Amino acid sequence: MWWGNTPSIGVIKRFIANQWVNVQKPKVLFHNDGYFIILLSNNEEREKVILNSPYTINSRPIIIRQWSENFDFNEEVLKTIPLWVKFPNLPLNYWSKQAPSKIRSGLGKPLYTNACTTIAERVSYVKVLIEIDVTRPLPEKVKLYDPRGKVIEQMVQYDWKP
């Protein structure tokens, strides 16, 4: 696990207790470079935790990687991370089940759309979780094309920037 501004081990333990309710209490180890190593009881629990990712605390990603004997923290973790992205004032003609996926795919790998966006409960912005390559600058705008070929520049906001 890696965190931009390292939380305390207590914060991580409370997060695990609240979020990973279907696993036995794991052992939590801290690495001085800001990493946590979580020792789960078995492979089945590990799969549950990984399959239910991504996880965030205060809109900041918790990045989970499976350990292997060739695991290198610096190579594995810091290139792509999940970030919550908002598209404020998105024109209503772009609100469809496919539109957020098309918009966010230009930024990175689409992961999730938040519940309010999915059911169009809040129409002031679209919010999606996108796995983004953070070795490149984060774009502040994306171009959108409507079916008639009209192009608009859509503002992009990030809940947190690494």
Side-chain angles (χ1 to χ4, degrees):
M1 238 186 241
W2 177 81
W3 181 275
N5 296 325
T6 307
S8 70
I9 200 163
V11 167
I12 295 299
K13 286 180 177 180
R14 283 189 299 280
F15 169 82
I16 290 170
N18 291 326
Q19 296 293 315
W20 301 353
V21 294
N22 295 325
V23 301
Q24 293 178 19
K25 185 178 179 180
K27 186 168 187 176
V28 180
L29 308 173
F30 177 70
H31 188 280
N32 282 339
D33 287 339
Y35 300 99
F36 291 91
I37 298 170
I38 311 299
L39 303 175
L40 295 162
S41 298
N42 56 54
N43 290 339
E44 183 179 308
E45 288 186 351
R46 181 193 67 219
E47 291 302 315
K48 284 180 188 176
V49 168
I50 291 173
L51 288 174
N52 286 316
S53 66
Y55 301 99
T56 59
I57 296 177
N58 294 331
S59 298
R60 294 181 179 195
I62 295 177
I63 299 151
I64 297 176
R65 299 289 193 253
Q66 182 175 323
W67 182 86
S68 67
E69 68 181 70
N70 296 325
F71 190 88
D72 180 336
F73 284 109
N74 296 319
E75 289 297 317
E76 293 288 332
V77 177
L78 300 176
K79 294 179 182 173
T80 60
I81 63 172
L83 295 176
W84 280 106
V85 178
K86 287 182 190 174
F87 299 98
N89 303 314
L90 183 69
L92 289 178
N93 59 326
Y94 289 94
W95 281 73
S96 70
K97 290 191 181 217
Q98 296 80 20
S101 177
K102 290 178 182 175
I103 294 166
R104 65 186 181 209
S105 64
L107 295 173
K109 179 183 173 187
L111 298 174
Y112 296 104
T113 303
N114 79 335
C116 290
T117 297
T118 302
I119 60 175
E121 190 173 89
R122 179 192 319 115
V123 293
S124 55
Y125 61 85
V126 167
K127 186 174 182 178
V128 293
L129 188 66
I130 305 170
E131 189 170 68
I132 298 177
D133 180 350
V134 293
T135 62
R136 299 183 205 167
L138 298 175
E140 295 181 17
K141 294 182 181 179
V142 293
K143 289 185 180 180
L144 305 179
Y145 302 88
D146 74 7
R148 294 174 293 204
K150 181 180 175 188
V151 178
I152 68 163
E153 283 196 353
Q154 173 62 48
M155 183 194 248
V156 178
Q157 296 176 337
Y158 303 89
D159 278 5
W160 175 78
K161 290 183 180 182

